[in-house]
Amino acid sequence: MYVVKSPLPDDDLKTVAEALQGALVDLVDLGLVAKQVHWNVVGPRFRSIHLQLDEVVDSARTHSDTVAERASALGVPPDGRAATVASSSGIGTTPAGWIKDTDAVRALVDALGAVIVRMRARVNGTGDADPVSQDIFIGITADLEKHHWMFQAENA
């Protein structure tokens, strides 16, 4: 059932819907991973990493909302439920308990890297189907790559 009818042809809508849903799941999980590490980071660089993690959380939450609203605008119901995120995210497992500052940085570099790879695939896969959604993915990718660079510089 369509509550909102998309202006896209069905084949293009299918491509874009899958890309938007995948991005939503990855961004929701990225926000959760960053917050989990934020609560548990310890070490001499605690404060700077703790604050930097909140920047990633804010970005992930903002971008996930943009992606979900784009899906809704195209008539695709976004699914950010915990079970969907847990079964579909491209991010690996986050360690439980306290996490040393260097390990926290490594965890975020890995999580961001995983999301960036999948986001770049979405950029490549949506250009013909929907340049508007592709533009959203390009902006998100640029922002995530900035966070990725900054976290890599923490352990250089």
Side-chain angles (χ1 to χ4, degrees):
M1 170 180 87
Y2 288 106
V3 175
V4 175
K5 177 68 177 129
S6 173
L8 298 178
D10 287 344
D11 287 345
D12 290 346
L13 181 60
K14 183 179 185 305
T15 298
V16 174
E18 289 172 2
L20 288 166
Q21 180 58 40
L24 176 62
V25 163
D26 285 348
L27 290 164
V28 168
D29 199 22
L30 179 61
L32 293 170
V33 165
K35 200 49 134 167
Q36 178 66 25
V37 174
H38 165 91
W39 292 324
N40 289 286
V41 65
V42 294
R45 295 180 298 153
F46 162 80
R47 181 160 173 73
S48 65
I49 293 170
H50 184 78
L51 296 173
Q52 192 174 357
L53 287 161
D54 267 341
E55 292 173 11
V56 174
V57 171
D58 290 344
S59 287
R61 288 177 178 169
T62 298
H63 293 315
S64 65
D65 193 51
T66 299
V67 165
E69 288 179 357
R70 178 65 183 157
S72 293
L74 293 176
V76 177
D79 186 355
R81 296 172 300 159
T84 303
V85 172
S87 68
S88 305
S89 174
I91 299 174
T93 344
T94 304
W98 303 118
I99 183 166
K100 190 174 181 318
D101 53 4
T102 53
D103 296 334
V105 169
R106 194 169 303 107
L108 257 290
V109 167
D110 292 348
L112 285 160
V115 174
I116 289 165
V117 166
R118 289 166 53 113
M119 204 61 72
R120 282 188 163 275
R122 293 176 187 116
V123 168
N124 292 332
T126 56
D128 291 335
D130 182 26
V132 175
S133 294
Q134 182 193 44
D135 188 54
I136 290 169
F137 294 137
I138 289 169
I140 292 169
T141 303
D143 189 43
L144 296 179
E145 287 177 345
K146 181 179 177 184
H147 288 299
H148 191 244
W149 155 57
M150 292 182 150
F151 272 103
Q152 287 182 78
E154 286 280 346
N155 274 353

